[in-house]
Amino acid sequence: MALYKHGNYLTQSQDAAFDAVHGPGTAAPHPGIYRCTSCGDEIAIAGGHTLPPQNHRQHNPANGQIRWQLLVYPVQQR
Ligand SMILES: [Zn+2]
């Protein structure tokens, strides 16, 4: 589970981007921290980079398919 200390710098969001799940090896639609809904592994990724494939380090195939879900989205200043 992701950790943080200064919660006043995080804001809860109902954006649908947090509901979408993405297959292994697909392009991350947003930069941020993603969580595998099957095994709980978390990764940070830049926008447009490829989400880790089926053999990501701790994912046991017995846990089922890797499904990456956006957990934290960074908001950049304009
Ligand atoms: Zn996994």
Side-chain angles (χ1 to χ4, degrees), residues 41-43 52-60:
D41 194 18
E42 296 163 346
I43 56 111
Q54 186 67 34
N55 63 352
H56 81 86
R57 55 187 161 68
Q58 83 169 41
H59 188 88
N60 184 332

Side-chain angles (χ1 to χ4, degrees), residues 36 38-41 56 59 66:
C36 176
S38 298
C39 73
D41 194 18
H56 81 86
H59 188 88
I66 293 172

Side-chain angles (χ1 to χ4, degrees), residues 19-72:
D19 300 322
V21 291
H22 310 279
T26 61
H30 305 286
I33 298 173
Y34 286 75
R35 176 181 180 276
C36 176
T37 62
S38 298
C39 73
D41 194 18
E42 296 163 346
I43 56 111
I45 194 164
H49 285 209
T50 303
L51 291 163
Q54 186 67 34
N55 63 352
H56 81 86
R57 55 187 161 68
Q58 83 169 41
H59 188 88
N60 184 332
N63 288 333
Q65 282 281 324
I66 293 172
R67 307 299 287 170
W68 293 111
Q69 185 174 22
L70 184 62
L71 184 64
V72 176

